[in-house]
Amino acid sequence: MIQRLFIVVVLLNFAFAKAQSEKFTLSGTISEKINGETMIGVNVLIPELSSGTSSNEYGFYSITLPAGTYQVVYSFIGYTSIQREVVLNNDTQLNIELVEADEQLDAIVIKADVEKLSTKSPQMSTNALSIETIKKMPVVLGETDIVKSLLLLPGVTNAGEGASGFNVRGGAADQNLVLLDEATLYGSDHLFGFFSVFNPDAIKDLKLYKGGIPARYGGRVSSVLDIYQRDGNKNKLSATGGIGLVASRLLLEGPIQKEKSSFLIGGRSSYAHLFLPLFDVDSKAYFYDLNAKLSFTLDDSNRLYMSSYFGRDVFNINELFSNTFGNSFVNLRWNHVFNNKWFANTSVIYSDYNYGLELDFVEFEFNSGITNLNAKYDLTHYLNDKTKLRYGLNTIYYEFDPGRIVPTTDSSPINERQLTKKYAWENAVYVDGEFELTDKININAGLRLSSFNRLGQENINIYQDDQPLIFDENLQIYESAVPIETTSASRGTTLETFVNLEPRFSIAYSLDDDTSFKASYQRINQYIHLISNTNAPTPFDLYAPSGTFIKPQVGDQVAAGFFKNIGDYSLETEAFYKTVDNRLDYIDGADLIANDAVEQILLSGEARAYGLEVLFRKNKGKLQGWIAYTLSRSEQRTPGRTPAETGINNGDWYSAAWDKTHDLTITGSYELNKKWSFGTNFTLQTGQPVTYPNGQYEFDGLFIPTYESRNSSRLPVIHRLDLSATYIPKPDKTKGWQASWVFSIYNAYNRRNAASISFAQNEDTGRNEATRLSIFGIVPAVTYNFKF
């Protein structure tokens, strides 16, 4: 009897141990119940194990757990959390639909760190803004602007009020990789920075990586702005739009086959130019853009997407000067779920940026652009609840068109001319992993191998001693060298090859569920350069590939931070240090327009940036918002190639054009009741660096100014207060026509912030005078938003 009992106990222990060792996978897709839209970043929590995961860019999730019964919680900001009891005794597929919460008191701000799991994640230096929050922010001219909203985050700024582009942690605007549905955009603004190219009604999710950038991204040394468009309503036809003082928008979406496929098409246009003739102004400045997307669910394992964007800006002055430019792309994607642990995405993307200029008074037009064809394959392996691996490869073919000059009349003195087109091929493979080593230590480690091949072209310049620039020691100036020979090579020929390893690493050490320390390191190579002699990107700028005379930029960044959740509040502090090698700078007197040999005006130098970022937030309640402060420096140095050369600025460090030592923003929103909510932004910044004249001399009756060291002075301090109020007449109405009014005041106390200061001689007094240019005073606006 005792022997039998002993055998039974042994068998039970063996069965229990086997059950404990058995693991099964819970997977599925998470979407919105009302419109069928897949959801990114939904938290899937297992409270019993203090474990969890989140849905990927296409709503798919997977987690492997020991056999057992669990209360699985699905939560996302602004949505009602769902709890499901799951008996996990085999691999289980569970698709979830979330419903938007009735009271959206949590529908704000930065989605990262809402759940306690985020403090344990090794990912740092990352921010994600909700579209609902962005739409409530007061902005100039009343038009919702995603890029301007990013400027309220620590470590993000731009070159001045009304300037295009944005700068991250002291980096240049061209060092940001801007992705819309995985397609690269080369310009993120309309009308030279007054509007962004992103239609807020078409956007599902956006995330900004300032550091610790995962290995699946490459090609830009400062940041990645990754934005995904919505898929479209799979259940019913609906529309969303808005009518503003200077622009309007309309978006239509609906099912092609209910619950299986959908379409989305949205357009925007400005129309302020239509009223200019009333004031005898014979000029035009407007933009328009179009977003479109088709989504097909073939079965539980396969989904197809086709997304596209087309945008143009038109600028015309008195029929003498006209300018048209913009981005466009088409992307075909296929999602495939091999099984509950393997997820794949395949994309083929065509994108371009075109710039056209017509000068009627000199009778010619100029057209340039950059085109690329991109193919990528990404594979995610959900190995277990503690390990997730990503693998991928990417290949991009580039065509750079510096410009084509065409006379517009038979009497034009200009001859038709095509500047030399350039071609390149960029490739990359990567592996990236997220690992939970212990309950307190989590790491993310990856490695990217990138290569760049400069391909054959016509008109290849050969220079004496391979030096396209000559330094005149007597005059102490740089001059363009004259090529000693010009050759050509077929496009199948490789002129120059660069191969680089790019390690990425980040680690989080958790003191408890609400407190952690994080650190990261990244190396990224940038093979595409924006050649510019302005503070912010403009359509006149020139994109150039790396090659014999232009080496890739190499960026290294380290960052460390402290993260703390304190009830409804959270605190993030990060310090960073970044260096960039082979940063290009132009020589004095450089001319970029129609330049067919840019190597003759460029010198290679280095850049560095370092600083401290603090973000204190209130994440819940009627009053929500954040205080962001950045203390930083951004500098460049371009020494001479030999001891005899002066370089730029005598080879000394000087402030970058977008450097701002202090940057303070305060952002808040208050929900008074269901009908009324209010928002405010306050900005206080150090003025941007400038170079002032410090003297003059007379030569042949002309007064020639002399200048101080580059960027050694600054514009006055910038500060501004913006206000907004949102009114919803019928907040409880959920069907039919639903509307809201947004009233905003940009620059409420009419601060005349200096965009620039110029110097000239007063013709009456003969004295030199400084003139301050301010772009915006107080700007009230109203927008009517609707959906049905």
Side-chain angles (χ1 to χ4, degrees):
M1 181 69 180
I2 295 177
Q3 289 179 336
R4 291 179 180 177
L5 182 60
F6 177 77
I7 293 172
V8 170
V9 171
V10 170
L11 291 175
L12 287 174
N13 285 334
F14 176 77
F16 178 77
K18 183 178 180 181
Q20 287 295 100
S21 63
E22 283 187 311
K23 291 188 175 183
F24 300 101
T25 300
L26 174 66
S27 64
T29 300
I30 304 174
S31 59
E32 293 187 49
K33 186 173 183 178
I34 295 178
N35 58 25
E37 187 90 24
T38 57
M39 300 180 66
I40 302 173
V42 176
N43 293 288
V44 183
L45 309 175
I46 316 296
E48 294 93 335
L49 301 178
S50 297
S51 182
T53 186
S54 61
S55 58
N56 69 4
E57 295 85 354
Y58 302 97
F60 180 78
Y61 76 96
S62 175
I63 185 168
T64 300
L65 304 167
T69 301
Y70 301 99
Q71 301 298 321
V72 184
V73 179
Y74 299 85
S75 67
F76 189 74
I77 191 168
Y79 287 76
T80 302
S81 297
I82 290 180
Q83 181 172 304
R84 292 282 188 268
E85 182 176 276
V86 177
V87 179
L88 203 61
N89 51 23
N90 52 42
D91 290 340
T92 302
Q93 181 177 347
L94 181 59
N95 296 329
I96 295 294
E97 293 181 325
L98 294 184
V99 179
E100 197 168 357
D102 292 334
E103 297 288 339
Q104 291 192 20
L105 298 183
D106 293 340
I108 185 167
V109 249
I110 300 174
K111 295 184 293 190
D113 298 328
V114 172
E115 301 290 343
K116 291 182 178 180
L117 279 174
S118 62
T119 62
K120 295 185 176 182
S121 169
Q123 183 65 60
M124 63 182 297
S125 308
T126 303
N127 298 121
L129 289 170
S130 72
I131 297 300
E132 289 78 10
T133 299
I134 293 174
K135 288 183 176 181
K136 293 178 181 179
M137 291 180 178
V139 291
V140 65
L141 302 176
E143 295 302 312
T144 299
D145 193 316
I146 288 176
V147 173
K148 294 297 185 291
S149 301
L150 296 175
L151 302 180
L152 301 173
L153 299 172
V156 186
T157 184
N158 67 358
E161 198 169 47
S164 60
F166 59 98
N167 306 93
V168 177
R169 289 187 169 175
D174 71 302
Q175 294 174 339
N176 305 314
L177 178 63
V178 180
L179 301 173
L180 179 59
D181 272 358
E182 301 181 345
T184 301
L185 298 182
Y186 293 93
S188 59
D189 300 276
H190 285 305
L191 296 185
F192 301 98
F194 291 109
F195 303 91
S196 80
V197 299
F198 306 108
N199 183 342
D201 294 332
I203 302 304
K204 177 197 295 190
D205 183 84
L206 65 92
K207 187 173 291 184
L208 176 67
Y209 296 89
K210 301 179 293 184
I213 298 175
R216 63 183 180 273
Y217 299 108
R220 301 294 187 276
V221 297
S222 275
S223 75
V224 176
L225 177 58
D226 196 5
I227 300 179
Y228 281 86
Q229 295 188 113
R230 296 176 52 234
D231 299 335
N233 196 320
K234 289 184 172 65
N235 297 323
K236 66 174 183 178
L237 182 67
S238 61
T240 306
I243 302 172
L245 296 180
V246 296
S248 292
R249 65 189 191 276
L250 178 64
L251 182 141
L252 299 174
E253 58 182 319
I256 300 174
Q257 181 181 358
K258 193 171 183 180
E259 299 182 352
K260 291 292 185 181
S261 57
S262 62
F263 74 90
L264 178 147
I265 183 168
R268 294 188 303 165
S269 179
S270 64
Y271 39 71
H273 65 285
L274 299 177
F275 303 100
L276 294 180
L278 299 177
F279 304 95
D280 293 326
V281 177
D282 192 20
S283 298
K284 297 179 181 179
Y286 64 93
F287 76 88
Y288 58 91
D289 57 32
L290 179 70
N291 299 76
K293 192 168 185 178
L294 299 175
S295 306
F296 302 90
T297 302
L298 305 182
D299 52 41
D300 288 341
S301 299
N302 295 279
R303 294 171 183 254
L304 291 177
Y305 303 90
M306 186 185 76
S307 54
S308 62
Y309 169 86
F310 182 85
R312 286 293 182 266
D313 287 67
V314 179
F315 189 57
N316 183 289
I317 298 180
N318 295 326
E319 301 299 331
L320 298 176
F321 169 96
S322 61
N323 188 201
T324 304
F325 57 92
N327 297 277
S328 62
F329 77 80
V330 176
N331 182 8
L332 298 175
R333 281 177 292 165
W334 170 39
N335 290 170
H336 178 65
V337 180
F338 289 98
N339 53 45
N340 50 33
K341 290 190 175 185
W342 290 89
F343 179 91
N345 179 68
T346 305
S347 299
V348 178
I349 309 164
Y350 170 86
S351 65
D352 66 29
Y353 178 82
N354 286 308
Y355 170 73
L357 173 66
E358 185 172 347
L359 301 175
D360 291 341
F361 63 94
V362 289
E363 302 175 339
F364 81 88
E365 62 181 21
F366 176 81
N367 294 284
S368 65
I370 177 173
T371 301
N372 69 59
L373 183 61
N374 182 357
K376 60 194 298 284
Y377 181 77
D378 300 286
L379 185 64
T380 305
H381 183 193
Y382 299 86
L383 193 61
N384 53 50
D385 60 319
K386 300 182 184 301
T387 305
K388 181 171 73 172
L389 301 175
R390 291 176 180 261
Y391 320 88
L393 54 88
N394 187 200
T395 182
I396 308 175
Y397 175 78
Y398 294 96
E399 179 181 306
F400 301 84
D401 185 357
R404 183 180 183 86
I405 302 171
V406 179
T408 55
T409 65
D410 294 336
S411 60
S412 172
I414 305 297
N415 296 321
E416 184 171 344
R417 179 188 175 199
Q418 171 66 59
L419 303 183
T420 303
K421 292 184 178 181
K422 301 171 179 64
Y423 309 91
W425 185 24
E426 183 176 354
N427 299 281
V429 294
Y430 74 86
V431 59
D432 194 11
E434 298 176 20
F435 310 94
E436 182 182 334
L437 299 185
T438 69
D439 289 340
K440 292 183 176 294
I441 301 176
N442 291 266
I443 67 171
N444 190 330
L447 184 65
R448 184 181 182 92
L449 175 64
S450 64
S451 68
F452 189 84
N453 298 295
R454 179 68 179 271
L455 304 179
Q457 64 180 57
E458 298 178 349
N459 302 322
I460 303 171
N461 292 329
I462 309 297
Y463 299 93
Q464 183 75 38
D465 299 325
D466 284 335
Q467 295 295 334
L469 269 177
I470 298 174
F471 183 72
D472 189 321
E473 294 187 21
N474 294 322
L475 298 177
Q476 293 287 292
I477 61 172
Y478 286 94
E479 298 176 337
S480 299
V482 178
I484 59 175
E485 184 182 355
T486 300
T487 65
S488 62
S490 66
R491 202 178 305 180
T493 304
T494 298
L495 303 178
E496 194 81 19
T497 299
F498 304 95
V499 180
N500 294 288
L501 281 174
E502 304 177 10
R504 318 287 174 86
F505 180 81
S506 57
I507 184 170
Y509 178 78
S510 303
L511 299 180
D512 53 46
D513 286 344
D514 293 310
T515 311
S516 68
F517 291 93
K518 300 183 183 183
S520 66
Y521 166 76
Q522 68 182 36
R523 165 166 283 200
I524 302 178
N525 290 270
Q526 179 169 333
Y527 301 102
I528 306 300
H529 308 262
L530 182 66
I531 313 300
S532 173
N533 57 5
T534 59
N535 293 344
T538 73
F540 294 99
D541 297 336
L542 176 67
Y543 284 94
S546 297
T548 303
F549 304 109
I550 301 177
K551 304 305 179 185
Q553 297 180 66
V554 183
D556 292 279
Q557 180 179 247
V558 293
F562 172 75
F563 302 81
K564 177 72 174 178
N565 286 326
I566 316 167
D568 292 346
Y569 300 85
S570 63
L571 173 66
E572 301 176 28
T573 60
E574 292 191 34
F576 68 89
Y577 183 84
K578 177 167 60 178
T579 62
V580 178
D581 293 331
N582 302 324
R583 179 63 185 165
L584 298 178
D585 209 340
Y586 56 91
I587 63 174
D588 293 334
D591 185 9
L592 299 183
I593 299 178
N595 192 321
D596 208 13
V598 294
E599 68 272 10
Q600 297 178 1
I601 60 172
L602 298 174
L603 284 174
S604 180
E606 58 183 327
R608 67 185 181 189
Y610 48 92
L612 175 69
E613 301 170 356
V614 180
L615 180 63
F616 181 71
R617 305 176 308 196
K618 186 175 187 296
N619 296 314
K620 297 181 180 180
K622 285 182 173 292
L623 176 64
Q624 303 178 20
W626 67 81
I627 300 174
Y629 173 71
T630 305
L631 173 66
S632 64
R633 290 297 303 272
S634 176
E635 300 172 312
Q636 292 184 215
R637 180 174 67 175
T638 309
R641 298 167 296 181
T642 67
E645 294 186 9
T646 59
I648 295 175
N649 199 51
N650 294 317
D652 297 329
W653 287 100
Y654 60 91
S655 297
W658 46 86
D659 175 57
K660 295 182 179 179
T661 308
H662 302 281
D663 187 357
L664 172 69
T665 59
I666 301 174
T667 300
S669 67
Y670 179 73
E671 186 169 325
L672 180 64
N673 50 46
K674 290 184 177 181
K675 290 188 174 183
W676 284 99
S677 61
F678 302 91
T680 183
N681 302 327
F682 175 75
T683 300
L684 176 66
Q685 297 176 336
T686 302
Q688 69 190 69
V690 292
T691 305
Y692 288 145
N694 58 4
Q696 65 181 16
Y697 61 91
E698 185 177 356
F699 180 76
D700 284 346
L702 298 176
F703 289 95
I704 311 299
T706 61
Y707 291 87
E708 61 188 2
S709 299
R710 184 179 289 197
N711 290 348
S712 57
S713 296
R714 289 186 179 271
L715 295 176
V717 171
I718 297 170
H719 54 87
R720 189 187 73 245
L721 175 68
D722 309 325
L723 303 170
S724 71
T726 301
Y727 173 64
I728 305 175
K730 299 179 180 180
D732 296 324
K733 188 176 182 181
T734 59
K735 295 182 179 180
W737 189 274
Q738 303 167 61
S740 66
W741 293 89
V742 179
F743 307 93
S744 65
I745 301 177
Y746 181 88
N747 196 2
Y749 53 80
N750 198 32
R751 164 72 175 179
R752 307 297 294 186
N753 290 308
S756 66
I757 293 180
S758 58
F759 294 83
Q761 187 178 62
N762 188 306
E763 294 182 358
D764 296 328
T765 65
R767 300 173 60 115
N768 291 329
E769 293 181 345
T771 303
R772 170 154 70 175
L773 172 64
S774 298
I775 298 178
F776 292 116
I778 184 172
V779 183
V782 60
T783 302
Y784 177 74
N785 297 315
F786 60 88
K787 61 180 180 179
F788 58 87

